[in-house]
Amino acid sequence: MAELVLGPVLRHIGDTDATIWVETSEPCTVQVLGNSEPTWTVAGHHYALVVVRDLEPGSATPYEVHADGRVVWPAAGEAPSLIRTSGGAGDSFTLAFGSCRVATTSEGEPPSHDLGTDALVAYAQRMRALPADEWPDALLLLGDQVYADELSPEMERRVAERHDLSEPPGAQVRNFEEYTWLYAQSWAERDVRWLLANVPTSMIFDDHDVHDDWNTSYSWRAEMEASEWWEERIVGALASYWIYQHLGNLSPEELAGDALYDRVRRCAGDAEPILRDFASGADEEADGAPGARWSYRRDFGSVRLLVIDSRCGRVLEPDRRDMVSDPEFDWIEEQTDGDYDHLLIGTSLPWLLPRAMHDIEAWDEKLASGARGNRPSRWAEKLRRAADLEHWSAFRNSFERLARLLADVAGGRRASVSGRAPATICVLSGDVHHAYVARVQFEAPTDTEVYQLTCSPLHNHVPAAIRVAFRAAWSRAAERCVRLILGRVTAVPPASFSWTRSAGPSFGNQIATLRTQGRRAHLTIERSVDGPGTRLFETVADLSLTGETQSPEIPPAHANVRPSG
């Protein structure tokens, strides 16, 4: 008798359709609202992605999950989850986003004082006390949903039962099976599971989903590929990512045209060999091979979300270094064509850092390329890895190409017949374990407001020394000092535009909520509150992105109160 192992996870949402992901204990047929899908098998695990059709636009429909005709979600006595479709009469949209979440500890294991209160758990707890029309319309998770190289004590014990942890890579997961444990740990927490069953969720990976510093440089890849353990690790990472995260990013139409998904669904036996071949090939994109496109686009009424893979899609050849390959960047540019009121660019790594840190990364990339000879190049490579100098700033060509694209969008040059530019362009990111807002000023003024919105972590820790460094990095004095010192070694490559801080930096476990209504936009960043009390969150940033003094659709004050019971 099939049981629900994990899920349901509500993924893509449209005007009249939705997709729901599940993992089951054995092969079965999964049904949701009369729509059926047989499970498929990978390495002994059983999955289904059910496409639900014929829903009403702008509706809220309760649903249950059945396995071979038996209800497996929700649990007895609990209310059904909801599918809330887009396409309603209003033009408002609410998106919650964040990144970097160390899974909540298991029952019976005391929580870590260093990690504090999980912001995603607190967000779900607050949602439970609110009516559904005050829930966010969508959730965007911007990387590091699982930590393959930083295991909890419980996970380390499980891995140690299978491997000698004194051998490389040490206390880390090694293969697909162990990745399934990480996803179960991350998504099985009661409140998070309820949240994922009720809010359409989009996802993208970052480095810890695979390995710290993943695809930092050509020499990093060479070292990894020379190790005995890397091939099994990357295959397990990308195969599990395709199943647990990527498939749900796709619309029903995209799923219907996906040849790999079709092969896996129709495989009569275990599809593990099919996904192993795919994952191995996808990893080779950094070496110049065709690879796979993990980037994707979703439209929510007048809001366009374009999520960019800034990890696996890198090109890291000896004489070339790009954040995204040319074919994928061509595709990204095409997705910005058209008319919409707000463009959201999701990328796990911030496009804009504090200017002092940007200059250090740009300078380090130039030095590592051999601008001052082999010895400084080797030193710069060591610094790049030790200090994680591998954001968009450290990929200058891609950094500037994205800037040109956003300037074109802001200038109305990517619009359709109307020629009207969007009201805002917001780059949404995580990774750096703090939150901030930076506003862009292009050389040619535009009516479009352009921002970097960074919110991280949902549940992690930042050492005090790092907090001091991030706070100092935003100062003009730090910017001038860094450029003066670095310029004595080699010139800091200039940026073609400028940016200034509008909010932050703030630290702690945080989640951001972006609200739009028509051409207005408002951002709130909240930090979870530790310890007993009535509040779940405190607000650390609350600002209009389009100049209004009143924010659209702000939740009532009681939304910040811890629910009773």
Side-chain angles (χ1 to χ4, degrees), residues 490-539:
T490 191
V492 177
S496 62
F497 62 97
S498 62
W499 59 96
T500 55
R501 175 171 56 94
S502 298
S506 60
F507 300 89
N509 295 327
Q510 302 169 100
I511 190 167
T513 305
L514 177 64
R515 300 174 178 87
T516 68
Q517 187 171 43
R519 291 179 66 81
R520 295 189 295 163
H522 193 96
L523 177 75
T524 305
I525 302 175
E526 299 172 290
R527 177 168 53 215
S528 61
V529 176
D530 295 337
T534 60
R535 290 196 308 158
L536 285 168
F537 288 101
E538 58 186 358
T539 300

Side-chain angles (χ1 to χ4, degrees), residues 48-200:
L49 186 64
V50 182
V51 177
V52 180
R53 302 186 186 278
D54 300 324
L55 299 167
E56 290 294 323
S59 63
T61 305
Y63 76 91
E64 297 175 336
V65 178
H66 298 247
D68 287 340
R70 188 173 60 89
V71 176
V72 292
W73 180 271
E78 293 192 4
S81 298
L82 290 179
I83 299 174
R84 293 171 298 134
T85 56
S86 55
D91 61 352
S92 63
F93 175 67
T94 301
L95 175 73
F97 67 94
S99 79
C100 306
R101 178 175 173 264
V102 173
T104 304
T105 53
S106 303
E107 292 185 17
E109 189 171 322
S112 167
H113 175 73
D114 288 341
L115 290 177
T117 300
D118 188 329
L120 195 62
V121 172
Y123 203 84
Q125 291 172 348
R126 181 170 67 182
M127 273 182 58
R128 285 181 180 271
L130 297 174
D133 59 5
E134 292 182 23
W135 296 353
D137 297 299
L139 171 67
L140 176 62
L141 297 175
L142 288 158
D144 291 348
Q145 281 212 70
V146 296
Y147 279 73
D149 50 359
E150 297 178 12
L151 305 183
S152 68
E154 175 197 17
M155 197 61 61
E156 186 171 332
R157 287 192 294 270
R158 291 189 69 181
V159 173
E161 292 174 359
R162 296 164 55 98
H163 309 288
D164 182 352
L165 300 189
S166 66
E167 298 179 353
Q172 302 182 24
V173 299
R174 316 292 177 99
N175 52 40
F176 178 87
E177 174 63 24
E178 291 160 19
Y179 264 100
T180 69
W181 302 349
L182 291 180
Y183 281 106
Q185 183 185 51
S186 183
W187 292 359
E189 196 280 335
R190 176 177 176 270
D191 289 306
V192 170
R193 191 171 189 177
W194 177 88
L195 172 69
L196 295 178
N198 284 280
V199 180

